[in-house]
Amino acid sequence: MNFPLPDFFPASAEIFVLVMACVVLLADLFKSERQGWLPYVLTLATLAGAFAIQVGTAGPDTTLTFSGMFVDDRLADVLKSCLYITVFAVVVYSRDYLMARGLERGEYYLLVLFATLGMQVMISANHFLTLYLGLELLSLAIYALVALDRESARSTEAAMKYFVLGALASGLLLYGMSMIYGATGTLEISAIARKLSDPATNMEVLRFGLVFLVAGLAFKIGVVPFHMWIPDVYHGAPTAITLLIGSAPKLAGFAMAIRLLVDGLPTLAVEWQQMLMLLAILSIALGNVVAIAQTNVKRMLAYSTISHMGFMLLGLVSGVIELRASGDIHLSYAFGSAMFYTIAYVLMSSAAFGTLLVLTRAGVEAETLDDLKGLNRRSPWFAAVLMMVMFSMAGIPFFIGFFAKLAVLQAVVAAGYIYTAVFAVLLSLIGAFFYLRVVKLMYFDEPLDNSPLVASTEMRALLSVNALAIALIGLMPQSLLALCASALGQALK
Amino acid sequence: MTDIPLLSLAVWLPIAGGLLVLASGDGRNVAFSKLIALVTAIFGFLVTIPLYTGFDTASAGMQFVELMPWVRDYNINYHLGVDGISMPFVILNSFITVLVVMAGWTVIEYKPSQYFAAFLIMSGLLNGIFSALDGILFYVFFEASLIPLYLVIGVWGGKNRVYAAFKFFLYTLLGSLLMLVALLYLFHKSGSFAILDWHREPLAMTAQSLIFWAFFASFAVKVPMWPVHTWLPDAHVEAPTGGSAVLAAIGLKLGAYGFLRFSLPIVPDAAQHFAPVVIGLSLIAVIYIGLVALAQTDMKKLVAYSSISHMGFVTLGFFIFNPLGIEGALVQMISHGFVSAAMFLCIGVLYDRMHTRNIADYGGVVNTMPKFAALFLLFAMANAGLPATSGFIGEFMVVLGAIQFNFWTGFAAATTLILGAAYTLWMYKRVVFGDVANSHVAELSDINAREMLILGVLAVCTLAMGIWPQPVTEIMHATVNQLLDHVAAGKL
């Protein structure tokens, strides 16, 4: 037997996060009474360090390592950098909330770091097993996080529901992977793509496997009809955990879709494009319509997530068509639009849940729409932050959400699906209603509760930066759009 | 031509000022915030004056053009410029903003800095709409301008403000979203978002028809044309005085401007093909909405319906495709900008004192407010289209054009001169003349210097334009003629 030592360099950020997770665990065990801040600061340092390593080691080339199981390309660099920033923001936003509820313990930081590691592995996976490993690492950490508040029956129920449905989804995914393995004889994603053009490959088995693969994927990113867990988990989990679930994993989910479908099964595009189109249309319709009926902000945002993920899928669907029709320049734009949409959504959703966290006080959850009433009187700035997020989610310029929608719709129209575009914009009109309702509650109504908002300085500062990013990238979207396009262009070459 | 980016200043100066006012907050320094607002509004107006003085009336092309790449991946440019059609509206808008800031000076008590900031930001965005030469840039300004007005109606509006704000926002959003798809389709066809490139882009009739209706959905709601006008009376009635004035003076012009900038030149054949539909809807607006206005008991609602009726005249003028019609419609738009703003400000003057807009609650106002009554009479006459006021010029030109086009169309359109006089003067009579109706009217005080200044300036504009319209019409000639040649040539 011959075990060559793999090249660890492309995975240095992952290794760093893993080591630091263990350090956080030990620090939590041995810290003194007065050092309660230690895990918090260490976690933030880990994320900042990982960001620095990622940016520092980013190169123009695609590197494969661990026998082709792990890939480090520009797509991975961009998505992981966004991931660290997002998780950093999540940790800062969550601290006050968790402290007020006695949940701010070492486990939280440890689990967040393991979830981050899982997402890093997913983003860089070039092999079905690596992908599955990353996905499970993420999922198991999140199951535990949802149940972090042991006293709360609702959280426990949400965790159970999430666990059972998540396990089912993982099963579907694994089953699909095994089928594809049966048809192609390999689990390596780039090798599968090569095998597709081989006439000896059994296409029936491959398509059969693809159905399960798409179902598993749809479960994980939460699109109709595999969305049932989203509202319950968003609602049941403590708001700080909802913030985590609702933001960073979308980046990993996007990477998973790109790696599995676009990288792995490009010539089966006609098949999975049809499936995704259906999922996208159903999600946009159901998400926007059902959100109107919600009185709980977290549930409303859960349905809004569903519709946003549907919109993101539209970008993926359009990209493939271009690949088949003409050259490849529009290909990367279409996929780039989906990526831009994902990043935009993560920015908006972290700001939205972050503002909800500002509104909660010790013992009192701010989660019904009534809690938002009159926010403009209590704090004009946070009202403005949430207003920007809402208009951005509704796709009104000058906010980032507008350009995200524009980029996706442009891809959809370029692919020739004019009526899909019309359908999508008409449903975003319905969606605009419930976003506007939030603005109405904050600005037009009297507050029910006049207590001042309490939030730590770093949270206020970061949330403000987050909101300004939504507005400024909305004014100047060019660099981020170009970054997404080039990242995908390089990854899909 | 100067090197100063005048249009960018006209757009961004008010927005920057608005953000500054917002940042100054509603604490103790309210007077300071108001001062910044007024100074910004005045400077915002001053920077637009060189647009008029430096304008080359012989040229039909775009002037004061600014072009830089904005979103390179999608070939979207920051492309501004004005021609004879759009330039007057940039000036009008900046001018009305100054008056609106003055009108709200002492009246607004709840969060005044947010109120003034909303108007300044809106003013910048509206200037952006009129000067954008890139489809997406236009769309961005077009939609973004909904946000401040939504907040103005919802926060400072009347009893039923929430309903009105939602209706306003969702109605206009519906139209503009369909337009967005049309813009994307045009980009897909031509590879460019430049509006002037689209003017040259050949399009088949089917595509033209679909694009025409997509644009129509957006602009007809915005004008508003019958039968999608129902948001306007609600929005006007519930909005605070300043909101109503801006909405009537500028907001309604956006849709009409869109027809001229998009529908007519980009899809000329479809525009000609569907012109009878638009003319029919316009005549319904002129006559039927005129009758509806007659039946109103609320002053603001009456003026709102009168606005719809006047805007019917504008769309009529556009779709009869002759120079008199289009120039008349443009003059009508500018005149309506002065007159409707003045009417709403007059009603605001009464409302600030009496807190009612019901015609029945008034009577004999002339006895206690003689100066106000005189000015109000002038605006009422202008609204009715009396010669020597600005209201007459536009209506007369459109009627002449319509008669050239078809006698009976002209005949039907001319009934507005009767209807307009009927509803405006009857309202005026009930509110102003007669004996003092009740003790509240008896306690009224006449307009103060600030109100006098606002209404006086508008009165001068109304009269000046009525007596000597040449300075306004001469800047339009070249552009309008070129537009008509372009439409007549067609694209098929």
Side-chain angles (χ1 to χ4, degrees):
Chain A
M1 288 293 267
N2 174 21
F3 282 109
L5 196 64
D7 179 9
F8 290 112
F9 182 71
S12 36
E14 280 79 1
I15 295 167
F16 177 69
V17 171
L18 176 63
V19 170
M20 287 303 285
C22 301
V23 171
V24 170
L25 178 65
L26 290 174
D28 185 47
L29 277 179
F30 294 108
K31 70 173 194 284
S32 69
E33 275 300 301
R34 284 176 299 117
Q35 288 168 327
W37 46 268
L38 196 60
Y40 173 68
V41 171
L42 275 178
T43 307
L44 294 185
T46 308
L47 292 163
F51 181 80
I53 293 174
Q54 198 74 47
V55 174
T57 61
D61 302 323
T62 303
T63 346
L64 289 173
T65 185
F66 302 114
S67 321
M69 292 178 93
F70 187 95
V71 60
D72 182 31
D73 52 11
R74 198 180 297 154
L75 177 66
D77 288 333
V78 173
L79 282 178
K80 281 189 218 166
S81 308
C82 295
L83 173 71
Y84 306 134
I85 298 172
T86 314
V87 179
F88 189 93
V90 166
V91 171
V92 172
Y93 294 168
S94 305
R95 188 169 187 233
D96 284 353
Y97 176 93
L98 294 171
M99 290 225 283
R101 282 158 189 74
L103 300 174
E104 201 250 7
R105 294 186 295 252
E107 298 93 289
Y108 169 75
Y109 296 108
L110 194 64
L111 287 169
V112 166
L113 284 181
F114 276 124
T116 310
L117 182 61
M119 290 186 268
Q120 286 173 282
V121 172
M122 276 170 83
I123 290 171
S124 270
N126 190 40
H127 193 279
F128 279 172
L129 280 186
T130 335
L131 188 90
Y132 186 74
L133 215 62
L135 181 63
E136 285 306 288
L137 188 53
L138 165 69
S139 304
L140 288 171
I142 288 187
Y143 301 147
L145 279 173
V146 172
L148 196 64
D149 188 0
R150 277 171 302 191
E151 311 296 315
S152 160
R154 212 174 58 187
S155 295
T156 317
E157 186 197 325
M160 276 307 283
K161 212 176 252 173
Y162 193 15
F163 178 69
V164 172
L165 289 175
L168 177 67
S170 299
L172 288 176
L173 195 68
L174 267 189
Y175 189 58
M177 286 174 173
S178 70
M179 284 287 173
I180 291 173
Y181 178 67
T184 59
T186 175
L187 284 170
E188 195 187 323
I189 289 173
S190 30
I192 292 171
R194 284 194 296 276
K195 277 276 184 184
L196 288 177
S197 48
D198 184 351
T201 308
N202 186 337
M203 294 310 269
E204 289 305 309
V205 179
L206 208 57
R207 288 200 189 98
F208 194 71
L210 177 67
V211 174
F212 288 94
L213 211 60
V214 169
L217 182 71
F219 238 111
K220 291 297 177 189
I221 59 174
V223 285
V224 180
F226 305 102
H227 64 285
M228 291 81 74
W229 61 274
I230 295 248
D232 291 334
V233 173
Y234 272 47
H235 185 188
T239 310
I241 308 304
T242 315
L243 165 67
L244 177 67
I245 303 173
S247 53
K250 309 295 176 202
L251 295 167
F254 171 77
M256 184 169 148
I258 289 285
R259 301 278 187 218
L260 279 181
L261 300 177
V262 185
D263 257 0
L265 303 164
T267 52
L268 281 184
V270 171
E271 273 86 2
W272 58 258
Q273 162 258 318
Q274 283 173 348
M275 299 182 214
L276 290 191
M277 181 69 128
L278 194 67
L279 297 178
I281 289 179
L282 287 175
S283 307
I284 295 173
L286 182 126
N288 279 322
V289 173
V290 180
I292 291 179
Q294 306 306 318
T295 54
N296 182 295
V297 188
K298 282 156 80 182
R299 273 192 107 79
M300 190 196 89
L301 287 173
Y303 282 103
S304 125
T305 305
I306 296 173
S307 76
H308 282 291
M309 286 300 113
F311 234 101
M312 187 273 281
L313 286 186
L314 278 184
L316 290 183
V317 167
S318 318
V320 174
I321 294 306
E322 272 310 290
L323 168 74
R324 303 174 61 80
S326 58
D328 55 0
I329 185 72
H330 275 288
L331 157 97
S332 51
Y333 276 177
F335 291 120
S337 74
M339 183 164 163
F340 185 80
Y341 201 101
T342 314
I343 294 175
Y345 177 74
V346 169
L347 259 181
M348 300 188 285
S349 126
S350 23
F353 285 112
T355 320
L356 277 190
L357 287 174
V358 174
L359 286 172
T360 53
R361 282 175 301 119
V364 186
E365 297 282 328
E367 52 177 36
T368 66
L369 285 171
D370 285 346
D371 295 323
L372 295 173
K373 277 190 175 169
L375 185 58
N376 186 34
R377 283 172 198 260
R378 294 170 67 192
S379 162
W381 173 240
F382 285 117
V385 167
L386 197 53
M387 177 181 76
M388 285 195 260
V389 174
M390 287 299 132
F391 279 125
S392 179
M393 283 192 172
I396 309 286
F398 285 91
F399 304 109
I400 190 173
F402 167 71
F403 275 99
K405 280 216 162 66
L406 179 76
V408 167
L409 284 174
Q410 196 276 326
V412 172
V413 171
Y417 301 122
I418 300 272
Y419 292 102
T420 310
V422 172
F423 174 83
V425 297
L426 288 182
L427 279 152
S428 29
L429 178 72
I430 296 176
F433 172 77
F434 63 83
Y435 297 123
L436 279 182
R437 187 171 55 188
V438 172
V439 178
K440 173 235 163 199
L441 290 168
M442 292 189 302
Y443 279 84
F444 305 172
D445 291 353
E446 298 289 326
L448 296 178
D449 159 18
N450 260 319
S451 56
L453 300 177
V454 243
S456 63
T457 321
E458 73 256 32
M459 178 169 183
R460 282 172 186 270
L462 199 59
L463 195 55
S464 306
V465 171
N466 193 335
L468 289 178
I470 291 174
L472 289 180
I473 301 178
L475 274 176
M476 297 286 159
Q478 167 62 28
S479 32
L480 187 55
L481 275 168
L483 189 67
C484 292
S486 78
L488 280 160
Q490 192 243 15
L492 301 177
K493 235 181 332 211
Chain B
M1 291 278 158
T2 57
D3 290 336
I4 306 167
L6 287 172
L7 288 173
S8 283
L9 277 179
V11 174
W12 296 107
L13 186 70
I15 295 181
L19 293 176
L20 198 66
V21 172
L22 208 52
S24 72
D26 287 306
R28 284 152 297 159
N29 283 327
V30 175
F32 180 61
S33 307
K34 285 181 184 173
L35 196 66
I36 305 179
L38 185 64
V39 169
T40 315
I42 291 173
F43 272 101
F45 173 56
L46 290 180
V47 297
T48 60
I49 291 179
L51 292 178
Y52 182 81
T53 53
F55 192 82
D56 175 11
T57 51
S59 158
M62 290 297 165
Q63 306 186 27
F64 305 101
V65 174
E66 294 167 35
L67 177 63
M68 1 177 211
W70 182 23
V71 186
R72 224 173 276 113
D73 284 11
Y74 293 92
N75 201 5
I76 300 173
N77 295 303
Y78 177 76
H79 192 178
L80 299 178
V82 284
D83 60 5
I85 294 175
S86 48
M87 187 270 280
F89 294 104
V90 174
I91 300 178
L92 178 66
N93 173 38
S94 305
F95 174 66
I96 296 288
T97 304
V98 178
L99 297 186
V100 163
V101 169
M102 284 164 66
W105 199 254
T106 52
V107 184
I108 300 298
E109 279 156 6
Y110 175 67
K111 297 223 180 243
S113 77
Q114 289 189 357
Y115 177 85
F116 291 116
F119 277 100
L120 288 173
I121 292 172
M122 183 154 56
S123 164
L125 295 173
L126 292 170
N127 279 342
I129 300 175
F130 288 118
S131 44
L133 293 180
D134 182 279
I136 293 300
L137 191 64
F138 174 87
Y139 183 83
V140 161
F141 285 126
F142 196 71
E143 285 233 312
S145 68
L146 298 180
I147 300 176
L149 198 52
Y150 170 76
L151 293 174
V152 164
I153 296 176
V155 177
W156 294 276
K159 277 202 302 293
N160 208 6
R161 59 185 199 269
V162 173
Y163 172 77
F166 270 79
K167 196 168 173 182
F168 158 75
F169 199 102
L170 293 177
Y171 248 76
T172 28
L173 187 62
L174 167 68
S176 40
L177 284 171
L178 290 174
M179 175 171 75
L180 179 64
V181 179
L183 297 183
L184 288 171
Y185 177 80
L186 283 167
F187 171 67
H188 178 55
K189 287 284 286 183
S190 67
S192 157
F193 273 118
I195 296 173
L196 297 180
D197 287 350
W198 291 345
H199 287 190
R200 290 188 291 272
E201 177 71 20
L203 291 164
M205 193 60 193
T206 329
Q208 283 203 28
S209 306
L210 288 173
I211 294 172
F212 178 83
W213 289 115
F215 284 149
F216 188 79
S218 173
F219 301 138
V221 167
K222 204 85 183 177
V223 166
M225 294 177 73
W226 184 88
V228 285
H229 64 280
T230 61
W231 63 271
L232 184 73
D234 288 315
H236 265 322
V237 169
E238 300 305 332
T241 304
S244 297
V246 170
L247 184 59
I250 314 297
L252 302 192
K253 309 305 179 292
L254 300 175
Y257 172 74
F259 277 123
L260 280 193
R261 181 67 78 227
F262 287 86
S263 301
L264 259 50
I266 294 176
V267 289
D269 304 291
Q272 285 184 320
H273 186 252
F274 295 114
V277 182
V278 182
I279 292 175
L281 294 177
S282 306
L283 287 177
I284 294 177
V286 169
I287 298 166
Y288 166 71
I289 299 294
L291 290 170
V292 171
L294 207 51
Q296 297 308 312
T297 56
D298 178 315
M299 286 192 278
K300 261 191 159 178
K301 239 182 180 150
L302 189 142
V303 180
Y305 279 110
S306 121
S307 290
I308 302 171
S309 169
H310 282 119
M311 291 311 289
F313 236 79
V314 171
T315 45
L316 173 71
F318 288 164
F319 281 82
I320 53 180
F321 303 110
N322 61 38
L324 270 177
I326 294 189
E327 280 180 30
L330 283 167
V331 171
Q332 168 83 338
M333 280 161 73
I334 297 168
S335 149
H336 182 255
F338 293 129
V339 176
S340 63
M343 290 296 278
F344 280 116
L345 290 169
C346 283
I347 295 170
V349 165
L350 289 176
Y351 183 80
D352 292 341
R353 289 164 170 72
M354 298 270 288
H355 297 284
T356 169
R357 295 178 304 256
N358 256 331
I359 298 176
D361 293 339
Y362 291 89
V365 170
V366 68
N367 298 305
T368 45
M369 303 175 73
K371 282 187 261 175
F372 170 76
L375 285 166
F376 194 19
L377 180 67
L378 172 72
F379 298 126
M381 288 298 184
N383 201 41
L386 187 82
T389 63
S390 62
F392 173 72
I393 311 286
E395 291 190 4
F396 186 64
M397 285 167 81
V398 174
V399 170
L400 279 184
I403 287 176
Q404 279 179 13
F405 170 77
N406 171 310
F407 174 77
W408 291 109
T409 308
F411 181 81
T415 55
T416 188
L417 293 167
I418 300 166
L419 284 171
Y423 57 71
T424 316
L425 298 182
W426 190 34
M427 176 200 56
Y428 185 80
K429 180 230 147 203
R430 284 180 289 168
V431 171
V432 176
F433 292 148
D435 296 329
V436 172
N438 53 46
S439 56
H440 298 297
V441 175
E443 287 161 11
L444 284 175
S445 55
D446 208 342
I447 46 178
N448 57 31
R450 177 179 59 88
E451 292 162 333
M452 186 73 196
L453 178 65
I454 300 170
L455 295 178
V457 168
L458 281 168
V460 170
C461 295
T462 311
L463 281 174
M465 212 178 131
I467 296 166
W468 196 42
Q470 185 71 18
V472 181
T473 51
E474 73 177 3
I475 52 178
M476 298 169 181
H477 275 315
T479 315
V480 168
N481 287 334
Q482 191 217 30
L483 174 68
L484 281 169
D485 291 343
H486 177 80
V487 174
K491 280 187 172 184
L492 293 178

